[in-house]
Amino acid sequence: MEGLCCTKLPDQLIGLPRLRRLTLIGCTELAALPAVLGQLPALAHLEVRDCPIREWSALGQGVPALQALHLAGVGLPPSAVALLAVHRQLKVLCLPDNALTELPPDLLHLQQLQQLHLQHNHLQALPAGLPQLPQLQSLRFDH
């Protein structure tokens, strides 16, 4: 769904139990991630880019099959990043262009994480416990 001026995603998404990928780009009126995400049992890849989201509580709900999460240019606050720890099965986490200044230590709970992309933020340092991510193979970072 690209460039739509929707204020929320339709509840009909629940009727798509085989939906594996959801991409939201430039949804300038989307104020919150939809609560229905946790009711999409096959959703493995979620990409949200250039949507000025203000309400992030849906990130704290488990999405059982989620393997890859891309949140780019969405104004992600550090408190929302901490909510990601519930997605312990994540293998790819991309958080570019969010003006992040720090990462919460909660990210160290993502033991399956293989790729972590943090470019184009304002990070001064990476979490001290980064070596505790045994599966990490790719790290993209600049400051």
Side-chain angles (χ1 to χ4, degrees), residues 67 87-94 107 109-117 130 133-138:
Q67 300 286 309
H87 301 284
R88 296 181 187 243
Q89 74 284 2
L90 270 181
K91 293 183 179 179
V92 178
L93 179 59
C94 300
L107 285 185
H109 296 293
L110 301 176
Q111 295 290 302
Q112 301 303 312
L113 201 62
Q114 296 174 3
Q115 297 179 37
L116 180 59
H117 298 208
L130 206 57
L133 297 174
Q135 304 298 320
L136 194 62
Q137 300 169 15
S138 175

Side-chain angles (χ1 to χ4, degrees), residues 8-15 19 22 33-41 43 58 61-64:
K8 68 176 208 141
L9 292 181
D11 290 335
Q12 289 89 341
L13 284 178
I14 297 172
L19 184 68
L22 178 60
L33 282 182
V36 299
L37 290 178
Q39 298 175 42
L40 297 170
L43 187 64
Q61 300 175 9
V63 181

Side-chain angles (χ1 to χ4, degrees), residues 1-52:
M1 301 180 80
E2 189 169 341
L4 293 178
C5 289
C6 56
T7 56
K8 68 176 208 141
L9 292 181
D11 290 335
Q12 289 89 341
L13 284 178
I14 297 172
L16 302 171
R18 296 178 67 184
L19 184 68
R20 293 192 40 79
R21 181 183 200 96
L22 178 60
T23 303
L24 305 168
I25 300 173
C27 296
T28 58
E29 300 299 319
L30 187 64
L33 282 182
V36 299
L37 290 178
Q39 298 175 42
L40 297 170
L43 187 64
H45 185 112
L46 175 61
E47 178 180 1
V48 182
R49 188 169 3 130
D50 301 324
C51 302

